[in-house]
Amino acid sequence: MFVSVTRLHLRGKRMLPIFFIHTIKSIIQSKKAEGIVHSSFEKEGWITYWTLTVWENEDCMKEYRNNGNHLKAMKISRKIADQLEKINWEDDNIPNWKECKKLLHKKYGRNIKTS
């Protein structure tokens, strides 16, 4: 399976309305996407948001990522976020959030406490 984890940090609370509009549309699109195995969303405070999606393969993820509402959301995110981070890997299992956050923070050179 292909795992994709993203972290988005908004420029401020004033960006929340536009962020939520595009997030809802992307979630609706993901529920219909071919090859989706697992999808979850998590937040930290008011302006940091995480996604974890697991796909049958990388091609299924790219088909979702590069089309429809998600593509529009990615274009908007460059304007409303000051940090956009991602990590991908192949795995036989659906990872837990603690593992996902640890791997992404490590990739970007941060050490954090995970509970």
Side-chain angles (χ1 to χ4, degrees), residues 73-86:
M74 285 192 332
K75 290 177 181 178
I76 293 294
S77 69
R78 293 182 185 118
K79 297 175 184 170
I80 66 172
D82 55 10
Q83 295 175 15
L84 297 165
E85 302 171 343
K86 71 172 179 71

Side-chain angles (χ1 to χ4, degrees), residues 84-95:
L84 297 165
E85 302 171 343
K86 71 172 179 71
I87 190 168
N88 301 308
W89 70 92
E90 296 281 342
D91 206 321
D92 293 332
N93 301 301
I94 297 171

Side-chain angles (χ1 to χ4, degrees), residues 10-28:
L10 294 172
R11 293 184 188 274
K13 289 181 184 178
R14 68 189 182 288
M15 301 298 171
L16 284 168
I18 194 163
F19 170 74
F20 283 126
I21 288 168
H22 288 282
T23 298
I24 290 166
K25 290 179 179 182
S26 293
I27 289 170
I28 292 167

